Amino acid sequence: MADIRCPHCGKDNPDFLDVCQFCQSPLKPESMLHAGDTPIKKDTGELEPILPDWLKDARQQNREAAEEEEATRPKIPKVEPPDLLAGLASQAESDEEEVPDWLAGLNPVADKPSSTSASDEEAPSDFFAQFMQSGEKEPEPSASEPEEAETPSWMAGSEEQPSEERDELSDWFSQVSAESEETAGFESSARQDEKSWMDAPEPSSPSPGEPEKESEDLGWLRDLEAASQQTEEPSASQPAADFLPGETSDQASDDLSWLNTLGGVEQEPASSQDDLSWLNQPEQTPSSDEPAASQTESAEDDLSWLNQLGRLEQTPASEEPGSSQADLSWLKNFGEAEQEPAAEEFASSQPDSPQEDLDWLKGFGASEPAPEQPGSAREDMSWLDGLGGTEQEPEPEGSRPVQPESSQDDLSWLDELGSGNEPAPDAQSPKPFAGEQELDWLKNLQDQQEHVTDGSASQFSPPRTAPLSPEARDAMPDWLKKAAEEPSMPPLGAASLDWFAEHDKSVEAEPAQIESDASDQTQAEPASAGSEFSAPESDSASLSSQDVDSMFDVDMPDWLSREPATAEETPSETMPADDALAPVELPSWVQAMRPVESVLEETSVGSADQVTEKEGPLAGFSGVIPFAPIGSSRRPKAMSLKLQATEEQQASASLLEQVIADETISHVTKVPPVLAPQRVLRWVLSGLFLIVLSIVVSFGSRSMPIFAPASVNELSNLVANIPDNSPVLVVIDYEPSLAGELEAASGPLLDQLALTRHSKFTFLSMSANGPALVERLMDNTRIGKPQPDGLGYQEGAQYFNIGYLPGGSAGVLGFVSNPKAIMPLVNVNGFPDYAAVVVLTDHSESGRVWVEQLEQAKQNDPALANKPLLMVSSAQAGPMLQPYVSSGQVDGLVNGLSDAAKYELVNTSRPGIARSYWDAFGIGLMLAVLSIVLGSFWSLFTGIRARRAEAE
Amino acid sequence: MPIDVITAFIGFFLTLIIFSYLIGDNPLFRIAVHLFVGVSSGYAATVICYSVLLPRFTTLSLGDPVQLVIGLVPFFLGATLLTKLTPRISWIGSFALAILVGVGAATAIGGALIGTLIPQAQAAMDALNFRSAGSSSEAVFKLFDGVVMLTGTVLTLAYFQFSAKRAPDGTVKRNPILELLAWGGRVFIAITFGVLFAGVYMAALTAMIERLSSLINFVKSFLG
């Protein structure tokens, strides 16, 4: 599996991922095109196989139509204006693919003959015009056909519905327009005051001095107008209209006055020149008064093809000279029921509106004839005045001075909506004032067109679109049919607000008049079309469409905001005859929508992960909207279902499992052995010892032999060297529990001293019970017993029981240093007066204290060096005192009954205590040894038996 | 009845009560124990008063104030030790207690150093001094005694050497040589404990024989 290196973080990722799994940045090129991005040139021919059948069919139809048109239509060189919107015109050449092919292919009559007129040649490129052309059976003059070709046929089709079939909204607008005509003068003046913020930059006239004001506001439109002026000849009627003093000043002060005339019935002759007067067409009934020349001019500059939208019959071109010059005049005719004479409108209202206002909106739905709109066609969008207007009648110039002020401020044009049947004098009055309210940029737009368009009023007649053919209607989608239906709303105009009040009246009057107008229009168009259209007008039409596009660029999709392709440009580039599906540059929104990108494999990497918004309220912000390409194949990271555990972890887990399993198994608890045999054994042993020893003691057996070692003789010799009648210090350092042992052990030594040396004993007790033990010792050793059983020692004469010596080692040291100071009752003056020191101890520690302190005293007092230190110890303390005997620190040691018996043997068996205990002592030791041996064998036997039992 | 007979009876019954412990703990044994403790404490207090305190008072030289003050210092320090019974004023006896501990520690350290360490070290070195041996057989015996003593000392010290290294499997083991020496040291330690136990047994056996002899003699005295 190949890896793709992330351009952002540089880490490798699996090739099936679209987004980096580490930094979430796109791994593959940003194939998805988002709204607002520049379309990328793509070879859409590769998409042909995946297109739906219906789209393929539509494309095929479009392709065939293009081939036919290319063969018949002469190419008109396009002169692009130098302004920023000039790109729209250029895009029309190269970006024709931006018009959805599927929409372009919807035209079922794309193969209609168009060799006679330019509009027929442009029809294949304009998907809306395709529908319109099908309905237009009238052969339009070549000069005026471009407008028709640019007019969406679906809008034209909407005008095919008779006025009787208007819906409620159309009726409402017509009524409102009727009312507005009456009060237009007041409303316009009032609105002019209210909207004075838009008045300042407007010039007084559309003369060459106008560009100064245009530079203040939408000057880019001025360039657009300039470009159009280069290609169009200024109409003769426009200069006259532009230099009307009253109107120009009003237009300079009012900028949104065009709204007053939006939908006006007959107010704006000038707006029809350069506005989107085609919007008048949806409700406009065919009028024979419109000159064909006006249609040709409008077709050059604007999207006047929309004028044909819904128009049943083309108005005479001579009636709409201004609209042909003004680019957006086609909107004026949108919904226009009747065209007013171009000459009247041109003289009255056009000079003002084209300079400053958007009077082209006045023509929206209005029925004003084109000749009245040369001035407005230059700069404004007064075409909106005619929006919704049903008919416009020629305006007398005399009525114009009355209405300018009122039409400047108000939106009286709404009154004209749907008031196409009203007489011209009422409808013309607000038009001059509507021109005063135009914006500068719109005025400049008209100025440019004034230079281009001719002065003839017939040139400004709005273009008309032919009614849809039955085939086109059948192929038309439902939504287009609905759009092509006659609107139920009243026409936009000054009297539209009165529409509701006069709804019944207008409905009654309109049918007859509309029918007549329609018949007139169909008769007038062929004648005017041929005279009005010329080659430069196609450029002006493109410029006007650019203006419209610039207005709707914000909200409209790209394909709508761009200029419909002209007949000269589309055939050669969009529809190659030999390619099945030529590589085209799809519109951005189409590229953004199509899911092809997720199918195509691309390995290159996208540029940036954060997209800067280019449109909408978030324009300029980057990374606001998360990057999520359409059709992304982002998939979660593959996770292994296998447990990731090392061998050690698995071993631990198995061990834990075993431990848990062992816990679930029941174990038989072993009953501990009964303690009764131990107690019995203890009783047996105790009884055995008691009985045996008692028997031995009671019988006074002395049969056990005693072997006296040489060390005993040394001790006896040492005692024999002690001077006679010398004081001997006897230290009582044992407890009453071992008094029997110590008395038996010390008896032979003391007996020798008393008997042979007549030593005077000084008994010093190291415990509080010592003094009592001294008396007991003297009695049991028979030293203190009177003679002849004892030696007859008396206390205070032969022995001194000086009492208890407290303080431990310190007391011993003090006593050794100064016995008199420590023990006032002592019978010596100093410690060296003692001929020997006999220590009777049952603890090694207490005997060691005397050894240590005497050793220290001997180093300090050389007189003590030769003083013998004899020790009589219990059998339990003897082994610990033996090292001192070996080191020579203790001169003689009698350890327990065994040494006492030996010493007694040496001392001629006196006093005989040790010997009396000796047999019992010996038997007791043998019993102990026997018990240990028997116990060891018993333990061995039981152990073997237990092992055999376990083995069995 | 003479006092000796009474004390003989008391001694006889108390001995039997103590022996009753062979069949288990019983009230009589506890009575004998408490009686022994009480009598011993009372007797010790009496001994202390009569053999320690009273002699000190009787020897005070009232005419010499200095000697009197010096003679009273032990009484004063001894009296401060009684304050240890009350936690509030126990600090008063701390000084006398400090003197006791200090003096006792110093005396014990001096005595251990001079009376045990140095003499025992010299004795261990003299164990292998064959010049002190009178005869060859005595020299051999002394050599054997010295070798055994030295071996026992070394092996016993080796047994208490617990330094070891951790094996790769996590177990802790001492050096094999040191382990062998420690095993020999454990033998010497076992022999020493056996000797001590035998000494204890012999001391107890002697005491039991003395008691049995006393009982038998008491019985014999009554039996005539």
Side-chain angles (χ1 to χ4, degrees), chain A residues 163-164 166 174 177-178 181 264-266 283-286 335-340 365-367 388-393 415-427 491 495 499 503 505-517:
Chain A
S163 60
E164 292 81 4
R166 294 174 181 175
S174 62
S177 60
E181 291 176 356
V265 178
E266 296 176 350
E283 297 181 358
Q284 182 178 9
T285 57
E336 183 176 7
E338 295 179 1
Q339 292 294 335
E340 295 179 353
S367 60
T390 56
E391 292 180 0
Q392 289 185 355
E393 298 178 0
D415 300 337
E416 299 176 3
L417 293 175
S419 64
N421 295 328
E422 294 179 356
D426 295 338
W499 176 80
H503 175 66
K505 299 178 181 179
S506 60
V507 169
E508 294 175 353
E510 284 175 358
Q513 187 172 0
I514 290 174
E515 291 177 356
S516 62
D517 294 338

Side-chain angles (χ1 to χ4, degrees), chain A residues 852-873:
Chain A
E852 292 175 351
Q853 298 304 322
L854 284 177
E855 188 69 22
Q856 187 174 2
K858 288 179 181 178
Q859 293 181 358
N860 297 328
D861 187 0
L864 297 175
N866 296 324
K867 303 297 179 180
L869 175 60
L870 305 175
M871 297 192 73
V872 178
S873 67

Side-chain angles (χ1 to χ4, degrees), chain A residues 827-868:
Chain A
N827 57 345
V828 295
N829 297 325
F831 192 80
D833 294 343
Y834 293 112
V837 176
V838 179
V839 177
L840 308 177
T841 179
D842 61 350
H843 292 91
S844 59
E845 289 79 9
S846 57
R848 193 181 61 191
V849 168
W850 280 99
V851 173
E852 292 175 351
Q853 298 304 322
L854 284 177
E855 188 69 22
Q856 187 174 2
K858 288 179 181 178
Q859 293 181 358
N860 297 328
D861 187 0
L864 297 175
N866 296 324
K867 303 297 179 180

Side-chain angles (χ1 to χ4, degrees), chain A residues 191-441:
Chain A
R191 292 175 183 176
Q192 182 178 7
D193 298 335
E194 293 174 357
K195 301 183 180 297
S196 60
W197 54 276
M198 304 185 70
D199 298 340
E202 294 184 353
S204 59
S205 67
S207 63
E210 289 295 326
E212 296 178 358
K213 296 180 179 180
E214 294 174 0
S215 61
E216 296 178 357
D217 44 12
L218 302 174
W220 53 274
L221 287 175
R222 180 176 54 193
D223 299 333
L224 184 64
E225 290 291 337
S228 63
Q229 290 174 0
Q230 293 176 1
T231 57
E232 296 181 355
E233 294 180 3
S235 61
S237 61
Q238 284 181 345
D242 292 341
F243 288 103
L244 290 176
E247 295 179 352
T248 54
S249 60
D250 295 337
Q251 290 176 353
S253 58
D254 297 334
D255 46 5
L256 291 179
S257 60
W258 57 274
L259 293 174
N260 300 334
T261 59
L262 182 62
V265 178
E266 296 176 350
Q267 296 174 354
E268 296 178 358
S271 63
S272 62
Q273 295 178 357
D274 51 356
D275 61 2
L276 299 176
S277 60
W278 58 272
L279 291 175
N280 300 332
Q281 301 300 326
E283 297 181 358
Q284 182 178 9
T285 57
S287 62
S288 60
D289 298 336
E290 292 179 352
S294 63
Q295 296 179 356
T296 58
E297 293 180 0
S298 62
E300 293 174 357
D301 298 337
D302 59 1
L303 295 176
S304 58
W305 53 271
L306 290 175
N307 296 334
Q308 307 301 329
L309 184 64
R311 178 180 299 176
L312 298 177
E313 296 178 2
Q314 290 293 335
T315 58
S318 59
E319 295 179 356
E320 300 175 350
S323 62
S324 62
Q325 295 176 356
D327 48 1
L328 300 178
S329 59
W330 54 274
L331 288 175
K332 177 180 178 181
N333 297 326
F334 185 79
E336 183 176 7
E338 295 179 1
Q339 292 294 335
E340 295 179 353
E344 295 177 357
E345 294 180 357
F346 172 78
S348 61
S349 61
Q350 285 301 324
D352 298 334
S353 59
Q355 295 177 356
E356 297 177 356
D357 61 357
L358 296 175
D359 288 340
W360 54 273
L361 290 176
K362 297 176 181 178
F364 187 80
S367 60
E368 294 178 350
E372 296 179 356
Q373 302 172 353
S376 62
R378 299 174 185 174
E379 297 178 357
D380 63 357
M381 291 186 172
S382 58
W383 54 274
L384 288 176
D385 296 339
L387 184 62
T390 56
E391 292 180 0
Q392 289 185 355
E393 298 178 0
E395 294 180 355
E397 295 181 359
S399 61
R400 290 179 60 249
V402 179
Q403 297 177 354
E405 295 179 357
S406 62
S407 61
Q408 290 176 356
D409 298 333
D410 61 1
L411 296 174
S412 60
W413 56 275
L414 291 174
D415 300 337
E416 299 176 3
L417 293 175
S419 64
N421 295 328
E422 294 179 356
D426 295 338
Q428 290 176 351
S429 58
K431 290 184 179 179
F433 302 97
E436 296 177 357
Q437 296 174 355
E438 290 179 354
L439 295 173
D440 294 338
W441 60 276

Side-chain angles (χ1 to χ4, degrees), chain A residues 715-784:
Chain A
L715 178 58
S716 177
N717 296 331
L718 180 62
V719 171
N721 295 328
I722 295 174
D724 294 340
N725 297 320
S726 60
V728 175
L729 179 64
V730 179
V731 177
I732 305 299
D733 187 20
Y734 59 89
E735 296 297 331
S737 59
L738 294 176
E741 183 189 10
L742 268 298
E743 292 172 353
S746 61
L749 179 59
L750 294 176
D751 184 77
Q752 184 182 7
L753 288 173
L755 184 60
T756 60
R757 296 291 102 186
H758 306 286
S759 301
K760 295 180 178 177
F761 299 118
T762 302
F763 293 97
L764 177 65
S765 299
M766 297 302 295
S767 65
N769 297 323
L773 294 176
V774 171
E775 299 300 329
R776 175 187 163 86
L777 176 62
M778 297 302 288
D779 290 342
N780 290 336
T781 57
R782 299 181 183 179
I783 297 174

Side-chain angles (χ1 to χ4, degrees), chain B residues 111-125:
Chain B
L113 180 63
I114 297 173
T116 300
L117 293 178
I118 296 176
Q120 291 300 315
Q122 292 177 351
M125 290 184 289

Side-chain angles (χ1 to χ4, degrees), chain A residues 92-262:
Chain A
E93 298 177 357
S94 59
D95 298 342
E96 293 172 357
E97 293 79 7
E98 294 179 359
V99 176
D101 295 336
W102 60 273
L103 289 176
L106 289 177
N107 186 7
V109 291
D111 53 350
K112 73 171 186 176
S114 60
S115 59
T116 57
S117 63
S119 62
D120 294 337
E121 296 175 357
E122 295 176 359
S125 61
D126 187 4
F127 62 96
F128 289 121
Q130 293 174 2
F131 299 97
M132 178 188 68
Q133 290 175 358
S134 63
E136 290 182 351
K137 300 299 182 180
E138 300 176 1
E140 285 287 332
S142 59
S144 61
E145 281 302 317
E147 295 181 357
E148 297 177 359
E150 295 174 357
T151 302
S153 59
W154 60 271
M155 299 183 68
S158 63
E159 291 296 332
E160 294 177 1
Q161 299 297 331
S163 60
E164 292 81 4
E165 296 177 1
R166 294 174 181 175
D167 54 4
E168 298 175 358
L169 185 61
S170 59
D171 296 338
W172 177 81
F173 276 114
S174 62
Q175 183 176 1
V176 170
S177 60
E179 292 178 355
S180 62
E181 291 176 356
E182 299 176 357
T183 59
F186 301 99
E187 292 178 354
S188 62
S189 60
R191 292 175 183 176
Q192 182 178 7
D193 298 335
E194 293 174 357
K195 301 183 180 297
S196 60
W197 54 276
M198 304 185 70
D199 298 340
E202 294 184 353
S204 59
S205 67
S207 63
E210 289 295 326
E212 296 178 358
K213 296 180 179 180
E214 294 174 0
S215 61
E216 296 178 357
D217 44 12
L218 302 174
W220 53 274
L221 287 175
R222 180 176 54 193
D223 299 333
L224 184 64
E225 290 291 337
S228 63
Q229 290 174 0
Q230 293 176 1
T231 57
E232 296 181 355
E233 294 180 3
S235 61
S237 61
Q238 284 181 345
D242 292 341
F243 288 103
L244 290 176
E247 295 179 352
T248 54
S249 60
D250 295 337
Q251 290 176 353
S253 58
D254 297 334
D255 46 5
L256 291 179
S257 60
W258 57 274
L259 293 174
N260 300 334
T261 59
L262 182 62

